Amino acid sequence: MERWHTCGEAWIGLMRHVWTTGVAGLDDRGPVIEAPPRLFEIASLGWDDPIVRAYGDAEAVARYTAKFTRTDVVPPFKYSYGARLRDALGVDQVDWVIELLRSRPWTKSGWISLTVPGERQDAVPCLAALAFRVRSSRVSMTATFRSQNAYTSYLNYLPLRAVQLEVAGAVGLPAGTMRVFVDVPHVYIADTGAVTAVLARTAMRSVA
């Protein structure tokens, strides 16, 4: 399993994985480069990440943060992660997992599903589930994505870290690493110019 120190490094690593191993595919939004599944860990995440600050999309930060914190659907998205986390069939799933970890810190059942059986086929969320575990006196979290656009992946990881920190703080423990599994990592053909530009610039930066 890959282990990255920062969110920015994980972002570059996932884009490079798609770029070097991907094949042509198709998505509702158009043609893509689609790569094999990827599992990795990220040790440190924050909006002050130097790679994210240098090459990320500052204007998109507010939209993606709202997607995770608001319960209404924020355009152009088709669903709200905030609603699925805080009001899934009337259940605040974040509170539910906090109480579970408080009462049974050894549990392997700290699992939150963000999908709903029989929902609209064009609105199935990319983030399918979150799993929380207390191990070595830290709260680790695994995010499972059925599919993920590698070019914008960091915009999901950073709000997810806030969820992990909330759970860890409520349990009274520090947050551990964040583990990410992406079943279908991809890049849209329309974004390939931007992706190659970021990969080239970060490669030159590392050499320098």
Side-chain angles (χ1 to χ4, degrees):
M1 178 173 56
E2 288 180 318
R3 291 177 171 84
W4 301 104
H5 179 62
T6 69
C7 177
E9 291 173 1
W11 174 39
I12 298 303
L14 188 62
M15 285 195 293
R16 186 174 292 116
H17 167 65
V18 174
W19 193 251
T20 57
T21 68
V23 297
L26 190 62
D27 183 86
D28 290 340
R29 289 171 49 189
V32 297
I33 300 172
E34 186 176 291
R38 206 66 167 174
L39 174 66
F40 53 92
E41 287 185 346
I42 310 173
S44 175
L45 297 97
W47 291 111
D48 58 346
D49 186 306
I51 294 176
V52 172
R53 292 183 65 180
Y55 309 110
D57 183 353
E59 294 183 0
V61 169
R63 292 197 305 273
Y64 277 80
T65 300
K67 183 180 182 181
F68 277 88
T69 56
R70 288 170 48 175
T71 55
D72 58 321
V73 177
V74 178
F77 305 116
K78 297 179 180 179
Y79 47 81
S80 161
Y81 286 141
R84 291 168 187 258
L85 289 170
R86 309 288 177 171
D87 188 16
L89 302 177
V91 176
D92 187 322
Q93 298 201 89
V94 177
D95 281 350
W96 177 87
V97 82
I98 288 170
E99 292 305 316
L100 174 62
L101 295 177
R102 282 173 173 167
S103 62
R104 298 167 54 202
W106 61 86
T107 187
K108 297 180 289 294
S109 300
W111 180 270
I112 291 176
S113 175
L114 282 83
T115 62
V116 178
E119 66 182 327
R120 283 173 39 208
Q121 295 178 353
D122 67 342
V124 178
C126 292
L127 176 62
L130 296 176
F132 298 85
R133 284 183 293 172
V134 176
R135 298 292 186 273
S136 302
S137 300
R138 291 180 177 273
V139 177
S140 66
M141 184 182 76
T142 300
T144 299
F145 290 85
R146 63 163 181 84
S147 176
Q148 186 167 67
N149 179 359
Y151 181 51
T152 58
S153 59
Y154 68 96
L155 291 164
N156 291 283
Y157 303 155
L158 291 164
L160 277 173
R161 182 62 160 184
V163 176
Q164 182 184 9
L165 289 171
E166 178 184 350
V167 173
V171 175
L173 293 172
T177 58
M178 187 170 85
R179 188 176 298 107
V180 178
F181 173 72
V182 183
D183 192 36
V184 187
H186 61 273
V187 165
Y188 290 97
I189 294 297
D191 292 329
T192 54
V195 169
T196 55
V198 173
L199 292 179
R201 291 168 66 191
T202 53
M204 292 175 60
R205 177 173 174 169
S206 62
V207 170

